[in-house]
Amino acid sequence: MRLPEALRPPEPAGVLRVRSADGTMLHAEVHGPDDAPTVVLSHGWTCSTLFWAPVLRALGPRFRVVLYDQRGHGRSETPRRGGYSATALADDLCAVLQATVRRGTGAVVAGHSMGGMTIMAAADRPEFRERAAAVLLASTGSDRLVPSARVFGGSPGRLVRLRSVFHRLLLTVPLPLGPVTPLTRAGLRYMTMAANSPADMVDLCVRVVHACGSVPRARWGSVLLNLDLRESLRHLDMPSRVLAGTADRLTPPVHAQRLAEALPACEDLVLLPGTGHMTPLEAPDRVCEVLRELVRDHLGAPAGADAATALEEAS
């Protein structure tokens, strides 16, 4: 499956190997000029840096964008069996921030799905708080992920238990996804994206998800199964925005509404009508619009002509 040029990520300005707290090595990339406003992007379950390609291209070259692969994903190392937890997600994000963002300079930190949970888990860490000027939580939730999921529909009564079992299996069974076929493509689109999603974005989603190993996928799924980050939300007291698609089956909009109510400094709840779970693929321009607004409002006027122009364009 060959991706069109418009969906391929540009060549990074730099590639780093970042060591996390337990020694796990992470793949990270830096795009754009050093003196531009910094945006750090954290991807979700079963994804990789490739997932951000449409957002990266839509943002353009006037931002400094940091991407990294979550452990067990993409080109980052697969951890030992005990290396899967919300603490490990926070450790990894903090390690990447320390390696790419100078303390006190500030960055907009955005996370999609498990990437948003990563931000929540890191909310009380000094390494995070000294570098995050504002955050975007996209298509994510803090707790009760399985009871609210709607992949198996919204069936009432006795089918609720069957639906819960299906969702648990979806998260935790370490079976290979197998080759990409019209059936597997249609199934993945149904679970993660809206019915009218562009075909090329569905293709990119399929490519990214099928590349994730079955064991890391299942072990991270087990973490998500019982995740509860509600206590962490009170520490996430920097300016924040929450974004979600109204047709999201994995983290329905009720999660976004709860986050917006619980966050101490939530500026806006952005609901995208008819959009599914993969908002950065389905609505990259809208996601970029929110990121530009956060940069404009909370990163000030950094030095450098390119950075100043970026802020001007974001206004």
Side-chain angles (χ1 to χ4, degrees):
M1 185 191 305
R2 183 173 176 80
L3 293 172
E5 180 66 27
L7 296 184
R8 296 178 202 166
E11 286 297 317
V15 176
L16 299 80
R17 295 292 287 174
V18 177
R19 186 181 299 276
S20 192
D22 66 352
T24 301
M25 298 299 295
L26 308 171
H27 170 83
E29 301 175 2
V30 180
H31 296 256
D34 283 341
D35 61 350
T38 298
V39 176
V40 180
L41 303 176
S42 180
H43 70 73
W45 180 55
T46 73
C47 294
S48 67
T49 56
L50 180 59
F51 174 80
W52 291 111
V55 167
L56 190 58
R57 287 195 171 273
L59 276 176
R62 299 189 186 278
F63 291 84
R64 181 175 181 266
V65 183
V66 176
L67 313 171
Y68 72 101
D69 286 324
Q70 302 271 22
R71 57 175 56 205
H73 295 75
R75 285 167 281 182
S76 289
E77 283 186 350
T78 298
R80 299 183 297 274
R81 186 177 185 88
Y84 296 86
S85 66
T87 298
L89 291 175
D91 287 342
D92 293 353
L93 175 57
C94 288
V96 170
L97 288 173
Q98 286 181 292
T100 59
V101 181
R102 292 189 303 276
R103 184 171 58 187
T105 59
V108 170
V109 184
H112 171 261
S113 193
M114 192 173 80
M117 299 164 202
T118 301
I119 292 172
M120 298 178 221
D124 64 346
R125 302 288 189 90
E127 303 91 339
F128 176 80
R129 298 180 65 80
E130 291 166 352
R131 293 167 174 82
V135 301
L136 170 62
L137 303 177
S139 308
T140 190
S142 61
D143 66 299
R144 292 176 285 179
L145 300 176
V146 168
S148 63
R150 294 293 181 266
V151 174
F152 196 54
S155 305
R158 62 183 182 178
L159 292 183
V160 168
R161 182 173 297 179
L162 180 60
R163 186 182 69 204
S164 179
V165 169
F166 175 83
H167 290 149
R168 286 172 181 269
L169 291 174
L170 179 68
L171 284 172
T172 61
V173 174
L175 293 176
L177 294 182
V180 178
T181 67
L183 183 60
T184 59
R185 182 183 185 278
L188 189 58
R189 186 210 57 75
Y190 169 78
M191 287 188 288
T192 64
M193 304 178 80
N196 61 348
S197 297
D200 57 351
M201 293 300 183
V202 177
D203 289 342
L204 179 55
C205 177
V206 170
R207 182 190 185 105
V208 168
V209 173
H210 272 256
C212 183
S214 58
V215 171
R217 185 183 73 239
R219 289 183 177 167
W220 277 124
S222 296
V223 172
L224 299 178
L225 191 65
N226 299 307
L227 193 72
D228 189 342
L229 295 169
R230 285 175 291 180
E231 179 62 22
S232 300
L233 292 177
R234 66 185 181 88
H235 298 289
L236 202 59
D237 55 2
M238 64 284 296
S240 57
R241 300 195 184 188
V242 179
L243 180 145
T246 62
D248 187 341
R249 293 185 173 92
L250 293 177
T251 52
V254 63
H255 285 288
Q257 292 159 0
R258 290 172 185 159
L259 289 174
E261 292 169 0
L263 289 166
C266 184
E267 297 181 334
D268 197 12
L269 168 59
V270 180
L271 294 178
L272 305 183
T275 303
H277 183 67
M278 297 301 201
T279 45
L281 296 184
E282 298 175 72
D285 291 338
R286 189 69 181 94
V287 171
C288 287
E289 181 182 345
V290 176
L291 290 172
R292 292 191 189 101
E293 289 170 355
L294 287 170
V295 167
R296 178 196 64 200
D297 294 345
H298 301 294
L299 291 191
D306 284 343
T309 303
L311 288 177
E312 190 174 308
E313 288 182 351
S315 301

